[in-house]
Amino acid sequence: MAMIGGISQVEGSQNSATIDRLAHFAVDEHNKKENAVLEFVKVVNVKQQVVSGMLYYITLEAKDGEKNKVYETKVWVKPWLDFKEIQEFKLIGDAPYAAPS
C-alpha cells in the first residue's frame, strides 16, 4: 500500500503492461518535444508516489541511434481525468553492455 507523499518501489514493474505503456508514452512525448528519435527498449526500475493522482519515477532503456542509453522520467497520472503528463525526462548514461545471446 502506497503512503500519501511517500515514494515506494513498484514490484514486478518490468512485467507490467501499464508501466510499459507509461514508459512508451514518456519516450513518445520526449521525441515530440525534443524532435528526437529514441526507441523504447525496456523498463529498468519503477517507483511511485501518491500525489493528486500518482507520480511514477520510471528508469528506462531506450535506443538512441546505435547505442542504448538509460533515462529517468517522471510521469504524473490522474486516471479519473484521463490525464498523463511528463514532469521530467533526463539522460542518466549509457546502458550496460549486454552480450548477444
Side-chain angles (χ1 to χ4, degrees):
M1 179 81 178
M3 180 177 68
I4 294 176
I7 299 172
S8 59
Q9 186 70 36
V10 177
E11 299 303 324
S13 57
Q14 289 85 354
N15 299 318
S16 167
T18 301
I19 299 298
D20 270 4
R21 282 193 296 276
L22 289 175
H24 275 280
F25 170 76
V27 170
D28 291 346
E29 290 297 304
H30 171 76
N31 284 344
K32 287 180 204 170
K33 184 179 174 191
E34 300 297 327
N35 198 24
V37 290
L38 298 179
E39 293 178 48
F40 172 77
V41 174
K42 67 180 181 180
V43 170
V44 177
N45 189 41
V46 181
K47 294 180 181 175
Q48 65 186 11
Q49 181 179 19
V50 177
V51 291
S52 175
M54 189 69 76
L55 186 59
Y56 291 93
Y57 297 79
I58 303 172
T59 305
L60 61 90
E61 194 172 308
K63 190 173 192 95
D64 184 4
E66 295 298 314
K67 286 190 160 191
N68 284 14
K69 298 190 176 184
V70 178
Y71 297 85
E72 280 186 355
T73 185
K74 292 181 191 173
V75 183
W76 184 19
V77 179
K78 295 181 190 179
W80 66 94
L81 296 175
D82 196 26
F83 171 88
K84 283 188 288 196
E85 182 179 275
I86 306 306
Q87 298 288 301
E88 182 177 84
F89 194 99
K90 65 181 179 181
L91 174 66
I92 300 302
D94 291 339
Y97 175 75
S101 45

